[in-house]
Amino acid sequence: MNTQTIESQQVTLQKLTPFYGATQAVQPVDVVIRPRSVTAIIGPSGCGKSTVLRCLNRMHEVVPNARVEGTVLLGEHNIYGSGIEPQAVRRRIGMVFQQPNPLRMLSIFENVAIGLRLEGYARNIIDERVEQSLRAAALWDEVKDKLNHSGLALSGGQQQRLCIARAIALQPEVLLLDEPCSALDPVSTYKIEELLIELKQNYTIVIVTHNMQQAARIADRTLVFMVERTQGRPIGVLVEEDDTNKIFTAPRDPRTEDYISGRVG
Amino acid sequence: MITQATNYRRRKLVDYGMRGLTIGATVLALIPLVLILSYVVFRGAGALNIAFFTQAYEPPVVGLDGEVGNAGGVLHGIIGSLIIVGIALIMALPIGILAGVFLAEYPSNSVATVVRFCTDVLSAAPSIVIGVAAYVLIVQRTHQFSALAGSVALAVLMVPVITRTTEEILKLVPHTMREAAMALGAPKWWQTLTVVLPTAMSGIMTGVLLAFARATGETAPLLLTVLGNNNVSVKLLEPMAALPLLTYKYTDTPFPAQNTLAWGTALVLTLLVLTVNLSVRWATRSRTK
Amino acid sequence: MAQAERLSTWQTFQQRTKHGDVIFWLLTLFFALMVVALVAAVGYVAWVGSSEARGRFGLSFLFKTGWDPNAQNFGALPAIYGTLVSSGIALLIAGPLGILIGVFLSELCPQRFKSPLSFMVELLAAIPSVIYGMWGVFVFVPFFRSWVAAPIAKSVGKSFPLLAGPVAAGRGLMVAGIILAIMILPTIAAITRDVLAVVPNHQREAMLAVGATRWEMIRKAVLPYARAGIIGGLMLGLGRALGETMAALMVIGSVKDKISTSLFGGGITAASLVASELPNANDSMHESTLILIALVLFGITLCVNAFARLLVWQAARGPVGSARS
């Protein structure tokens, strides 16, 4: 599917610092996200994990007054480099949101096709890619007979898989997921987790979750964020980054241990 | 590799073009606003002198050069407007406010639905239709154009505005304020009169002010009811002058001096509307903060 | 404490009557029903007042031309035509502009300009219509006549009767339509802004995340989502234009007996016909016919508004913006 070399799918964060106006939201983050693996970001609420995730495809700057310092490399290219437009970044780094958000006025087919339509692909390529993406999102068998129906007719879990299909229809390098299962029941959650393990063969996956078991189940690497207070103001900080099983069995940082064992957060 | 879509250049142009269009549309809408306001201010300011506020209509005495000797003033219009709108307000206030109280206090019954529907009908009705109704009901019956008929028409136009604002403001009063009175065992009517209404009073006054400003500028219903009068008159059962009627009348005359009076009346009406809207905006801003 | 004093006051009330709440309910109910009574009175009065004309013509007079009250000849087709055409022109101009303004105010405008710009647009709605009319007569009509109407009539108008001359004094359907457009612009813009504001953010993010530009996001996610509400706003604007009296009366040229083939020619609208003739009507038949025209206008604006409110209400699930319809 992807023709890129595996190195081009690596994401490197260098002194990445998101701001809301004058307020710094997170301490500078330095971390390498390994290509074609699942990296989980966990931490208590308010620690800035979603903010960091949204910086990775330049969705952070959509919020009024929000800005970013530092660099994020996709492969060896800085997505915040001069001359790089957010639209170009977002088509290479797909995103799935907390709340399933199929476009309300579009059919299931058009929801998946929308990115391709914008880019002016030919009809036969779109047909092919939509089917491919729906199959990859393990949704094809459930919706193939009602492609013209509204996406809202689907269940929450199906809607979320539809959103995953929409994100991978553009064949991005990286897939970002912002607490994709927080609005879903356990069965749907399980299906999505299975799907993600499947998808990591082709995509670099970064998933924010507040559910530690979920991270333990699917993630190869885990980043732990915590909230610190400097001068009375909360600020997120990356406290530990390691293989998932190490994080959960032998955390190096005492704060991680407290969080994992449920003493904080 | 961060590659851009092949058709991105065109899409970006469309994006810029459409954004430019929205800005252009907004600017375009502000042009008439600026033009109207500046014309009214500059032409109208010339009309405002002592005579403007102290004299009534003077018949144009055309000199040899075609100029009118004495333009007169619009005192009759100012007094007329004050009387007509004032009486309209007295009629509209109790109906508007108490109907609004009813909608807010007993919100979900079939009567409330009907009442709400009727306020919508009233606010949707063209003002000329209300004028026609007042004409048939009062002018035709009494065979006499009268200030009172004009007041009735304007009152009908004010009622839906006042009712709707009252209802919306009362619903904003936090329930905890009622609970304090409720805890003492006070009945509902007492809570409403002593706790809810006083809290909401400034908000309700906002609606009343807006209704007042709008009614003062209404012209069409007055045309059918108060007709106009060249003299200062305070008799409610006779034709009376009103500012917007003078604007209309003096626009359609060949005498430049009267045209200037039209600009002057327009300035007075515009200042009223501006003052009310600005103060309402200021008041609502400090309330929401 | 003042509260205690107040309490004792109501307790004395309460002792005298145990029915305070019932009385209060009846009192407010009475005034609420007054509103219903007002609507009923307006409808009833217009119905009865127009009975003479209805008895004689039915509604047929709405479809013939030739308005000559002295000859007992009442053909209201020119008024109907003028109303529809001037309102149509107004909607054609103000519709796209108003939607674009609403989009700008809700989606693109920097935060600090948002509220002053909204206020200025809404101020357009607060200016009395007679001032629009006067400004039209003194400023816009002469300008439009010499810079737009005359050149167009001389060139395009030669082969295209809808834009043909003579432009005469300059007053006509087109000018009325443009003035009406300015007047209904704030209604459409404010409602578009309000219904766009309730489009959930996740719809916007869905588009942005697949690499859409701002405009593509607006076009594919925001506008379709708010479509019903925007159409409702257009209808409310149309309703306002249909019933507008003074501005139309002053600039439309008051040609009551025939339909001008050109948009630069004079015309009349239903509302302005009533306003100009009812105060000095010749006889009861004349009066009755004018009242019937007002009744028809009332009915039409009610239908348009009811439809509009339904759409806006469905789209916004909340009270419509304060702009008067």
Side-chain angles (χ1 to χ4, degrees), chain C residues 225-269:
Chain C
Y225 195 100
R227 192 180 52 198
I230 294 173
I231 295 174
L234 292 176
M235 302 291 284
L236 281 178
L238 178 66
R240 197 177 164 197
L242 288 172
E244 176 48 48
T245 314
M246 291 318 290
L249 173 63
M250 293 164 88
V251 299
I252 205 166
S254 293
V255 175
K256 296 166 187 169
D257 52 349
K258 59 182 195 300
I259 291 174
S260 154
T261 47
S262 167
L263 293 180
F264 295 135
I268 190 75
T269 69

Side-chain angles (χ1 to χ4, degrees), chain A residues 77 79 85 87-88 91 118-120 173, chain B residues 1-8 11-12:
Chain A
H77 302 277
I79 67 168
E85 301 209 41
Q87 281 78 19
R91 65 189 284 273
L118 291 177
E119 302 196 357
E173 259 101 348
Chain B
M1 211 22 220
I2 307 165
T3 48
Q4 191 49 274
T6 48
N7 63 351
Y8 185 68
R11 289 163 57 196
K12 195 171 158 183

